[in-house]
């Protein structure tokens, strides 16, 4: 039997499924350190990861490793040039999380715009002694302008929901989406700068690649309306969190909703000191059904890529399919 590592706790029935094909080493405990990860991968043919950094050094420490299946759509934890150089296949879990993640993006945006967590903290702190007409006035969602930066599958699912709120949709993307998608979403393309000036609610859904580092920093925040909100469900590092905390403190923008952070699970301390931000611990895809679908898709990718199961040799989501069939180097 080939040997695999499942690097983190996961649904036990997914482990049972993997055990039908593999000798499974399951780290059902604390997150592995880089050294512990290398040691556990030394004799493995495949691995199932959830964000663990896999770079040239990790691959060098795992000479048998041929497949790493990430239980996430984002795979910025994979050093893809190193994967290609070593002929190691990476796989991810796109699509199954689109709608759940889009729902959560909306939840964060609405919570930020309508000051839901800020007002809840006020209530819980026992500060609600009387009702007042100007308590926690926020910004409307309906009838406003939604600005989506990153018009991939999740960005499109977010834009599609805007119709029910009678919103105008503008977007910015590396390249324009197909005209029929623009027409379906009733979405107009803008430069990043024009979008930031025009949008009432900006939602970030772009992948983390070095070129997208600090897509939103002090200069970009300065372009936004003082009544605007910013929601980040993309990746830590897309936003300069220190600059955002300062823009929130000075009310340069009205509010923010953040599910991802630079250096998470650490959160920039300045973000913890401002009221006008909704903070969640990277849970945008965390519905029971979707996390199960992601886990099963990650398992399916690993099983198929290691030549087992009904789809042997044909994993559904190869990131670098060119290495398939090549000897490990
Ligand atoms: C994952 C995510 O749950 O899919 C992604 O890219 O950010 C989340 O859905 C998380 O990355 C753990 O792997």
């Amino acid at each position: 039997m080939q040997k695999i590592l499942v690097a983190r706790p996961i649904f036990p029935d997914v482990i049972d499924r993997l055990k039908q094909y593999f000798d499974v080493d399951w780290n059902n405990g604390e997150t592995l350190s880089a050294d512990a990860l290398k040691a556990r991968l030394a004799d493995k043919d495949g691995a199932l990861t959830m964000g663990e950094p896999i770079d040239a050094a990790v691959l060098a420490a795992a000479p048998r490793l041929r497949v790493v299946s990430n239980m996430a759509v984002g795979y910025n934890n994979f050093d893809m040039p190193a994967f290609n150089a070593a002929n190691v296949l990476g796989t991810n879990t796109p699509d199954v999380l689109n709608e759940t993640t889009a729902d959560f993006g909306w939840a964060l945006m609405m919570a930020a715009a309508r000051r839901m967590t800020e007002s809840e903290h006020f209530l819980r702190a026992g500060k609600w002694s009387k009702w007042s007409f100007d308590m926690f006035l926020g910004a409307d969602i309906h009838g406003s302008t939604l600005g989506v930066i990153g018009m991939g599958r999740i960005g499109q699912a977010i834009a599609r929901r805007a119709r029910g709120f009678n919103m105008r949709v503008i977007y910015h993307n590396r390249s324009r989406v197909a005209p029929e998608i623009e027409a379906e979403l009733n979405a107009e393309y803008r430069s990043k700068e024009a979008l930031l000036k025009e949008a009432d609610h900006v939602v970030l859904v772009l992948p983390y690649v070095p070129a997208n580092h600090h897509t939103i920093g002090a200069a970009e925040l300065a372009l936004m309306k003082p009544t605007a909100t910013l929601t980040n469900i993309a990746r830590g590092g897309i936003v300069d969190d220190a600059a955002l905390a300062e823009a929130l403190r000075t009310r340069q923008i009205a509010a923010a909703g953040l599910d991802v952070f630079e250096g998470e699970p650490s959160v920039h301390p300045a973000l913890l000191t401002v009221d006008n931000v909704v903070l969640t611990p990277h849970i945008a895809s965390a519905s029971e059904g979707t996390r199960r679908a992601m886990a099963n898709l990650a398992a399916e990718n690993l099983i198929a890529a290691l030549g087992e199961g009904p789809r042997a040799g044909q994993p559904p989501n190869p990131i670098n399919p060119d290495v398939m069939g090549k000897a490990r180097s």
Side-chain angles (χ1 to χ4, degrees), residues 18-30:
L18 290 165
K19 279 185 177 164
Q20 291 172 26
Y21 304 101
F22 306 119
D23 180 353
V24 180
D25 174 10
W26 183 21
N27 173 41
N28 189 19
E30 293 301 311

Side-chain angles (χ1 to χ4, degrees), residues 50 71-74 97 235 282 285 291 294:
M50 286 165 238
M71 189 183 127
V73 62
L97 76 182
R235 271 288 178 277
H282 201 148
S285 67
R291 281 284 166 83
M294 291 168 71

